[in-house]
Amino acid sequence: MDLQTTIYIGVGLSFALYIGIAIWARAGSTSEFYAAGGSVHPVTNGMATAADWMSAASFISMAGLISNMGYGGGLFLMGWTGGYVLLAMLLAPYLRKFGKFTVPQFIGDRFYSKSASMVAVICLLTASITYIIGQMTGVGVAFSRFLGVSSEVGIYVGMGIVFLYAVFGGMKGITYTQVAQYIVLILAYTVPAIFISLQLTGMPLPQLGLGSNMVGTDVSLLSKLDMVVTDLGFGQYTTTTAGSTLNMFVYTLSLMIGTAGL
């Protein structure tokens, strides 16, 4: 069996898993469709939220940004992560308290205004469409690479799969599908990192390997990384920042607010 056939089988099985979960967890009521019936365990919900964070933007773009920007690229990591914290602290509890399924419903009732609700709908559509364009572009790039198809075909495939499990299961199906995605993604992140760390430093934990010496030398992995990227014309991986400290703070804050708003 050649590599391309193996890839097709792996992708096909993952798609079948996602659609199968959506059918198994299909929504039977409005509450299940919009809020999974309020029956999702906090740990399960955390896994689904983590899968939402580990999207095309983080899986492809942020990895490239941090590789290019080094330490300064960490602001994207902190900004997007902090946005979820803001959301959990400042919006989610009140949405749950009011018993509403959508943010426009919540805003309309909270401010006793249909106009406010309409503004929320417009903001929601604007932010979501902008976000989806970026995400679907990432899906098209990824699929075109390992499926051997054009990026346009990759986008249609990705949209079709998402449409199927969103329509079948609503938020309940999406939640459990994203749990499966979380398991797939976390393995895709950690398994290569573990083996790369073992090969370069002999340490099985990448976090410890990053601060260890290269195998058979007295040169630390971070020092070697600095040497490699500076030879390629980039700034030092461990010290380069995106402007001043204030600039990094404002960037991080804007990413936090943008993520929470989205």
Side-chain angles (χ1 to χ4, degrees), residues 15-72:
F15 285 170
L17 173 65
Y18 298 152
I19 296 172
I21 290 172
I23 295 173
W24 165 75
R26 59 187 179 276
S29 65
T30 303
S31 176
E32 286 185 349
F33 189 87
Y34 282 108
S39 60
V40 178
H41 190 276
V43 174
T44 305
N45 203 28
M47 294 170 71
T49 304
D52 197 38
W53 187 97
M54 293 187 291
S55 59
S58 55
F59 202 82
I60 301 173
S61 303
M62 191 174 66
L65 282 169
I66 294 178
S67 297
N68 182 22
M69 297 174 63
Y71 168 74

Side-chain angles (χ1 to χ4, degrees), residues 110-125:
R110 175 66 180 80
F111 295 102
Y112 310 102
S113 170
K114 290 186 177 180
S115 298
S117 180
M118 183 58 64
V119 170
V121 169
I122 294 171
C123 291
L124 175 69
L125 290 175

Side-chain angles (χ1 to χ4, degrees), residues 52 55 70 74 81 86 96 99 130 136 141 171 187 190 229 241 258:
D52 197 38
S55 59
T81 305
L86 279 182
R96 184 180 181 90
T130 304
M136 286 295 106
V141 170
M171 185 55 68
L187 289 174
T190 56
V229 294
T241 61

